[in-house]
């Protein structure tokens, strides 16, 4: 039996199959990345013969298949493009249109070039890049325009005249004045209502009582209370307040009549009697002695504060002030204020008749 090798008969068949498969792939296989041609539209103003300082706006629209993305990081940044052209702003947006996407890029320029005669200039192209199945590049075309001089040609510099600026348009202030007047009237009405409701004017213009004024003076003297002169001055301040409240120069012998005419001060009888006793010793017994340790400045201030609180309570309760008459009748011959201090006399519990006939009254040492 004869033997025939298979390879010699199969080689033509295999070779023909490979050729057929290659032809089929070339015909039916889709392209891996077909070239994309973007549609570029450029919108620019008409060449209106610009001058230095004018702004120029351009818009570039690029249409591509869906899936392509504008590489915004490659857009130019605002700043100087040349020695006469500045890029002022760059912004963009996207619009989907079925199987396509449309990008619009808006660019603003400003011209800073002074010329003495008309000159033709060109804004350079604006490159754009898109990322998708492959990299697509597009660009706005170069744009030419004419730049005119601000100063007429052939005019020497010393003959250049600067034109006056336009006057600001007049504004009618009548309606504004009416609105302002109405607003101020409303504010005044509200403030007046609040002042009446909370008695602001009464608080601002009320007359301070004698003890309230005395307490304010003592607060100022408290910083130098260790000074004997200041200590004696503080006693005089409280004496003046008591004289004004009593309606006369109040002496030790007048305290009982004072309590009868001012019954609300009876609760301070002990403190007031001690105050007058210390005052008599301070001004007469040992005039040059330092402030006594048994009657510090703080105790004097506390007595004044208690008198002030009684005074305010009487005012709140609507009590009227007592007539300004003294123990010996009207005040026409009595000392008041600082003068009453200078003529202040003290009556001991057991007064002795004096040659003057005034029951032991002596003048206070200053």
């Amino acid at each position: 039996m004869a033997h025939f090798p298979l390879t010699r008969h199969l080689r033509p068949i295999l070779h023909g199959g490979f050729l057929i498969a290659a032809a089929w792939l070339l015909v039916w296989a889709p392209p891996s990345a077909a070239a994309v041609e973007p549609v570029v539209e450029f919108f620019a103003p008409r060449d209106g013969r610009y001058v230095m300082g004018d702004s120029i706006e351009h818009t570039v629209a690029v249409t591509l298949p869906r899936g392509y993305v504008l590489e915004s990081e490659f857009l130019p940044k605002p700043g100087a493009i040349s020695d006469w052209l500045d890029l002022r702003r760059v912004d963009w947006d996207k619009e989907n249109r079925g199987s396509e996407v449309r990008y619009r890029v808006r660019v603003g320029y400003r011209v800073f070039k002074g010329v003495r005669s008309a000159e033709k200039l060109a804004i350079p192209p604006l490159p754009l890049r898109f990322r998708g199945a492959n990299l697509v590049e597009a660009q706005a075309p170069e744009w030419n325009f004419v730049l005119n001089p601000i100063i007429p040609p052939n005019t020497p510099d010393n003959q250049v005249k600067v034109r006056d600026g336009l006057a600001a348009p007049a504004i009618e202030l009548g309606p504004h004045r009416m609105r302002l007047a109405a607003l101020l009237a409303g504010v005044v009405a509200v403030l007046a209502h609040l002042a009446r409701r909370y008695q602001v004017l009464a608080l601002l213009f009320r007359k301070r009582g004698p003890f309230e004024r005395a307490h304010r003076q003592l607060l100022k003297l408290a910083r130098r209370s260790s000074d004997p002169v200041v200590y004696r001055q503080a006693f005089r301040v409280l004496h003046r307040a008591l004289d004004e409240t009593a309606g006369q120069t109040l002496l030790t012998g007048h305290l009982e009549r004072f309590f009868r005419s001012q019954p609300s001060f009876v609760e301070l009888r002990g403190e007031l009697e001690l105050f007058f006793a210390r005052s008599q010793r301070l001004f007469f017994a040992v005039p040059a002695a330092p402030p006594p340790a048994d009657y510090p400045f703080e105790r004097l201030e506390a007595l004044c504060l208690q008198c002030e609180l009684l005074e305010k309570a009487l005012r709140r309760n609507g009590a009227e002030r007592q007539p300004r008459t003294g123990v010996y009748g009207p005040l026409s011959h009595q000392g008041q204020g600082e003068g009453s201090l200078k003529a202040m006399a003290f009556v001991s519990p057991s007064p002795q008749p004096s040659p003057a006939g005034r029951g032991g009254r002596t003048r206070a040492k200053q």
Side-chain angles (χ1 to χ4, degrees), residues 236-237 239-241 243-244 248-251 324 331 333-346 361-366:
R236 295 189 184 98
V237 168
H239 269 298
R240 284 197 295 268
D243 292 347
E244 187 175 349
Q248 66 171 44
T249 301
L250 188 61
L251 308 175
R324 292 179 58 82
L331 289 177
H333 64 282
Q334 300 287 344
Q336 301 180 31
E338 187 67 28
S340 68
L341 245 295
K342 296 180 179 179
M344 181 179 65
F346 298 92
R361 294 184 67 187
T362 60
R363 295 192 175 276
K365 294 184 180 180
Q366 302 300 319

Side-chain angles (χ1 to χ4, degrees), residues 283-326:
F283 288 103
F284 294 98
V286 188
D294 59 344
Y295 202 87
F297 187 92
E298 290 76 15
R299 187 166 186 173
L300 178 67
E301 184 180 352
L303 174 59
C304 184
L305 177 60
Q306 289 177 307
C307 294
E308 179 187 355
L309 294 177
L310 287 175
E311 180 181 65
K312 290 182 177 180
L314 289 174
R315 186 182 300 127
R316 285 195 301 268
N317 294 334
E320 296 184 356
R321 188 173 175 180
Q322 298 296 325
R324 292 179 58 82
T325 57

